[in-house]
């Protein structure tokens, strides 16, 4: 499990840079939330955010939080200001691991590719708190200048926020070799099933997410214990559907998402022993 610590810069009483009707703290939160959201499509990755709302959090709390969590990567998201334009990123200017340097190379390349309209100010190093005090490799991006008219106009477009986020995600995917979740699988419904040797109605019902009663009714079966090999059965039951758990999911969230009750999801998944312990990548039957 790869642990990514996302740090949307500033927040609460600290707006960061402000200009052109924009506040840095709002942009960084939007971008970080998008990154978190996009990463839900990948397996074996877990994300923790220094903040998920507009709250004041001291820098020292952010690095302690990431260090205690044992993050694999500290990614701090900022927007620049001060009379320039374009994109740049930073790692610590003291001793850093070779991973820190190679990660920056990848992140820089991917973010540049996703946002080619920003002038490239390069890969840089600086003595920033979050980079110095985080025990894991750290990276800080500055996507555009809030006090530059052209950059600010870009930052006002949601498509640009998406692209900045996507660039960060593409970098993280490459750095950690993240793989996509397998999509939800659906067994075709409304089909015909040919009974095979050893089949029982309950096994067939289970396979198609229907019930023995429904099979009996749909197929006019006189004796449920007497089905013969080669017999054709209508299996127009509800299709079986599986959901792949993403990081941050819990069973009630998954139930809600699929419009079913928590009890129903528990019934559909009798093999789950501890309902509070589900892991990303796990397949949960939702239909
Ligand atoms: Zn900042």
């Amino acid at each position: 499990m790869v642990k990514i610590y996302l740090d949307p810069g500033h927040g609460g009483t600290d707006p960061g840079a402000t200009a052109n009707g924009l506040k840095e703290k709002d942009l960084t939160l939007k971008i970080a939330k998008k990154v978190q959201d996009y990463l839900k499509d990948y397996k074996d990755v877990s994300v923790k955010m220094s903040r998920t709302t507009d709250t004041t959090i001291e820098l020292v709390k952010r690095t302690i939080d990431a260090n205690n969590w044992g993050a694999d990567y500290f990614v701090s998201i900022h927007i620049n200001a001060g009379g320039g334009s374009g994109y740049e990123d930073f790692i610590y200017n003291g001793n850093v691991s070779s991973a820190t340097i190679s990660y920056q190379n990848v992140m820089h390349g991917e973010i540049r590719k996703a946002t080619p309209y920003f002038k490239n100010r390069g890969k840089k190093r600086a003595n920033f708190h979050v980079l110095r005090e985080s025990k894991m490799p750290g990276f800080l991006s500055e996507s555009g200048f809030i006090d530059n008219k052209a950059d600010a106009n870009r930052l006002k477009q949601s498509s640009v926020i998406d692209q900045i986020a996507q660039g960060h995600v593409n970098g993280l995917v490459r750095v950690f070799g993240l793989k996509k979740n397998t999509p939800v699988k659906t067994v075709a419904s409304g089909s015909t099933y040919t009974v095979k040797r050893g089949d029982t109605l309950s096994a067939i019902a289970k396979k198609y997410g229907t019930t023995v009663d429904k099979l009996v009714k749909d197929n006019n079966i006189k004796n449920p214990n007497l089905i013969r090999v080669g017999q054709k059965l209508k299996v127009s039951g509800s299709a079986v559907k599986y959901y792949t758990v993403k990081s941050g999911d819990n069973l009630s969230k998954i139930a809600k998402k699929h419009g079913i009750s928590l009890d129903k999801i528990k019934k559909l998944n009798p093999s789950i022993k501890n309902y509070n312990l589900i892991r990303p990548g796990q397949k949960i039957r939702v239909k």
Side-chain angles (χ1 to χ4, degrees), residues 100-273:
T100 305
I101 296 168
S102 63
Y103 291 2
Q104 182 187 27
N105 290 337
V106 175
M107 294 295 287
H108 181 89
E110 291 299 331
I111 297 168
R112 291 287 312 130
K113 254 192 259 170
T115 56
Y117 33 77
F118 285 135
K119 189 181 107 186
N120 188 4
R121 300 169 61 87
K123 289 176 278 185
K124 300 185 175 180
R125 299 181 70 152
N127 184 18
F128 293 147
H129 172 96
V130 293
L131 301 177
R132 186 185 62 244
E133 301 301 326
S134 48
K135 288 181 183 155
M136 65 294 305
F139 174 83
L140 186 147
S141 63
E142 300 267 11
S143 298
F145 276 64
I146 208 166
D147 56 352
N148 174 279
K149 255 250 130 55
D151 281 7
N153 282 338
R154 297 251 185 227
L155 293 167
K156 285 176 184 169
Q157 299 170 37
S158 64
S159 59
V160 169
I161 298 297
D162 290 352
Q163 285 150 7
I164 295 169
Q166 190 66 62
H168 284 72
V169 169
N170 294 348
L172 293 168
V173 165
R174 270 192 57 202
V175 164
F176 294 103
L178 301 178
K179 298 269 179 298
K180 283 226 170 182
N181 281 322
T182 2
V184 167
K185 277 195 194 102
T186 307
V187 176
S189 64
S191 50
T192 306
Y193 177 79
T194 307
V195 176
K196 294 182 181 63
R197 194 170 302 277
D199 272 342
T200 64
L201 271 190
S202 67
I204 297 167
K206 201 171 169 192
K207 187 169 178 175
Y208 285 92
T210 182
T211 61
V212 171
D213 283 352
K214 191 161 176 6
L215 282 179
V216 167
K217 205 167 148 221
D218 287 353
N219 294 286
N220 245 330
I221 296 172
K222 301 280 180 290
N223 183 346
N225 296 317
L226 272 182
I227 53 169
R228 51 180 174 70
V229 174
Q231 186 176 348
K232 301 237 187 291
L233 295 179
K234 260 190 281 172
V235 285
S236 53
S238 56
V240 177
K241 205 170 157 190
Y242 290 91
Y243 171 79
T244 305
V245 177
K246 299 185 173 76
S247 117
D249 273 342
N250 59 50
L251 269 194
S252 45
K253 211 162 141 187
I254 296 168
K256 203 171 165 191
K257 188 171 176 168
H258 293 90
I260 57 175
S261 68
L262 189 56
D263 273 352
K264 170 90 180 162
I265 220 166
K266 287 177 178 176
K267 262 184 212 135
L268 287 173
N269 297 275
S271 63
I272 301 178
K273 296 285 175 280

